[in-house]
Amino acid sequence: MKYELLENLSMIEGSTRDFAETYIRPHVMEWDEDQIFPIDLFRKMGEYGYMGVLVPEAYGGAGLGYQEYISVIVEIAKVCGSIGLSLAAHNSLCTNHILMFGNEAQKQRYLPLLASGEWIGAWGLTEPNTGSDAGRMQCIAVKSGDHYVLNGTKNWITHGKSGQVAVVIARTGELLDSHGMSAFIVERDTPGFYGGKKENKLGMRASETAEMIFDHCRIHKSQMLGNEGEGFIQAMKVLDGGRISIAALSLGIAKGAYEASVKYSKEREQFGQPIANFQGISFKLADMATKIQAAELLIRESGQLKNKNLPTTKISAMAKYYASEIAVQVSTDAVQVFGGYGYTKDYPVEKFYRDSKLCTIGEGTSEIQKLVISREILKGS
């Protein structure tokens, strides 16, 4: 499939790049070292339209499409993967779930708050013992009059403690029934809704990852997204867009590591010449550039399909799988290009190296992406 990039894309890339250099780069290592989740930065990103890229202007969003969204995530992630991850999760999971499946009252209530950055969103599917095996979730919502009583724990949740609102998928029917789960919007001040343990992570340390705990949390039926039993089906559709987000995040990390490597290889001299002149280095750069180009083509195609409301499951899974894997490969090679300096925190590539691995795990592991791809392929055989 051919795709056409929009005329205003270079302008969006430039403004996002300037934003990242001004408001993010000076603080990257401080936030990473101390695991600081910079909430004020997300308010600032709301002012620039980054917190509601896909939200229509009628609800206070930027009203843009997936190509622009991809570019925003890439440019932020080139500077800091953690901030790129939080931005992606806010846009593509919580906000997008409400945008896709909320009724008019829900959209009017929540989308302006999320798009402005006044509120930060969380999205809860994963549980301590049910990652990819979501059908066995133990977080249960039991109907009680006009309310549902929610009990259980969600973990590995981006913004699990700091998000002012969460979309939560809970079991309302039988175990292993794909129509036995429902989605609810839960506000932070709802009695019985608590933030739990914050994870101490290898990478993406400035992106908050924490438990969400529900203890006899009463949710009015008006807070359900769609109808009872539709939660899992909704979640799978939301994840189609989420895969594009993580693919873009992966691409940004890979580009950041690659660009740092090119710059360093031109400046670093050994044996009387820049190390870029040596085949061992130049071939690494060639491999990096080729992998990045291939990943971007997959991501841009998936973005175009999404913009046209065409099926994206196979291509977005391919994009997420390939881009996340090459992010790890490119950042690994970047550390090698830098040599001993690449293993220190004085240079950016060690952080790209640590951040990249999460991309092969979050929002569906590489193994799950291959399962999705193979099923889609075999459907047509």
Side-chain angles (χ1 to χ4, degrees):
M1 171 180 281
K2 294 181 180 179
Y3 65 88
E4 295 180 4
L5 296 183
L6 306 174
E7 290 180 6
N8 65 341
L9 211 56
S10 60
M11 182 181 69
I12 289 168
E13 288 172 349
S15 63
T16 308
R17 194 176 303 126
D18 290 344
F19 179 94
E21 291 296 332
T22 302
Y23 295 105
I24 300 175
R25 191 177 294 281
H27 309 287
V28 166
M29 292 312 297
E30 171 197 354
W31 293 339
D32 181 75
E33 290 283 298
D34 296 333
Q35 294 201 88
I36 296 169
F37 177 55
I39 292 175
D40 288 344
L41 173 71
F42 290 87
R43 310 256 191 272
K44 177 65 71 174
M45 286 199 285
E47 294 174 16
Y48 281 73
Y50 302 145
M51 297 292 275
V53 180
L54 301 168
V55 175
E57 293 181 43
Y59 300 112
L64 300 174
Y66 268 83
Q67 299 296 4
E68 295 95 334
Y69 177 55
I70 289 165
S71 291
V72 167
I73 297 297
V74 167
E75 292 302 324
I76 297 293
K78 280 167 63 175
V79 175
C80 181
S82 295
I83 304 305
L85 172 61
S86 276
L87 186 62
H90 172 91
N91 274 280
S92 70
L93 298 179
C94 178
T95 304
N96 203 37
H97 199 141
I98 295 171
L99 177 62
M100 290 175 69
F101 298 106
N103 59 38
E104 190 59 29
Q106 291 167 340
K107 290 178 183 179
Q108 292 283 357
R109 162 70 176 155
Y110 295 107
L111 292 180
L113 291 167
L114 291 163
S116 68
E118 184 177 343
W119 281 17
I120 294 171
W123 192 76
L125 177 66
T126 304
E127 297 183 4
N129 295 310
T130 57
S132 301
D133 188 12
R136 296 181 192 274
M137 68 170 54
Q138 297 300 310
C139 192
I140 298 172
V142 177
K143 194 165 187 183
S144 175
D146 287 339
H147 291 77
Y148 285 82
V149 180
L150 183 59
N151 282 286
T153 301
K154 298 290 182 178
N155 74 336
W156 305 110
I157 307 304
T158 307
H159 315 143
K161 293 185 77 168
S162 296
Q164 287 87 354
V165 63
V167 172
V168 181
I169 294 88
R171 187 153 60 83
T172 50
E174 295 301 315
L175 201 69
L176 301 178
D177 180 2
S178 63
H179 296 282
M181 290 164 270
S182 304
F184 301 89
I185 304 171
V186 189
E187 296 186 19
R188 176 62 60 179
D189 61 2
T190 306
F193 178 19
Y194 309 100
K197 174 190 173 186
K198 179 179 176 179
E199 302 296 342
N200 185 8
K201 308 192 299 291
L202 168 72
M204 302 291 194
R205 290 169 61 81
S207 177
E208 179 187 274
T209 306
E211 291 178 321
M212 294 194 302
I213 300 168
F214 302 95
D215 183 9
H216 295 88
C217 180
R218 290 178 64 82
I219 309 162
H220 193 268
K221 64 182 181 180
S222 64
Q223 295 297 97
M224 180 180 286
L225 283 157
N227 299 313
E228 184 172 308
E230 294 178 348
F232 182 75
I233 308 302
Q234 292 174 5
M236 294 304 101
K237 291 178 180 177
V238 168
L239 284 173
D240 276 349
R243 292 186 188 112
I244 299 173
S245 290
I246 301 301
L249 173 67
S250 304
L251 180 63
I253 290 170
K255 283 189 173 185
Y258 165 73
E259 290 174 8
S261 298
V262 171
K263 183 175 183 291
Y264 181 80
S265 69
K266 289 178 177 179
E267 296 171 349
R268 171 70 165 167
E269 290 193 357
Q270 290 284 275
F271 305 101
Q273 59 183 309
I275 63 171
N277 291 348
F278 298 117
Q279 191 177 86
I281 300 299
S282 64
F283 277 19
K284 274 186 169 52
L285 298 176
D287 282 341
M288 290 179 187
T290 302
K291 290 170 182 175
I292 287 169
Q293 183 70 23
E296 183 153 17
L297 289 169
L298 274 171
I299 296 166
R300 293 295 181 183
E301 181 174 350
S302 63
Q304 176 151 309
L305 290 171
K306 193 71 175 171
N307 279 342
K308 293 182 175 181
N309 293 315
L310 295 172
T312 61
T313 301
K314 182 177 75 172
I315 297 299
S316 63
M318 286 179 170
K320 196 273 186 187
Y321 165 56
Y322 185 72
S324 65
E325 291 292 334
I326 69 103
V328 174
Q329 294 165 19
V330 169
S331 59
T332 300
D333 282 346
V335 172
Q336 199 70 17
V337 168
F338 275 73
Y341 291 113
Y343 205 65
T344 71
K345 294 182 182 292
D346 296 329
Y347 291 85
V349 292
E350 67 85 28
K351 183 175 182 299
F352 289 126
Y353 179 71
R354 288 185 290 109
D355 287 348
S356 65
K357 188 57 192 171
L358 184 277
C359 298
T360 69
I361 300 169
E363 294 192 37
T365 63
S366 290
E367 290 75 16
I368 287 295
Q369 302 312 317
K370 287 193 274 190
L371 181 63
V372 171
I373 294 163
S374 61
R375 284 176 175 172
E376 290 296 310
I377 290 169
L378 294 172
K379 276 183 185 178
S381 62

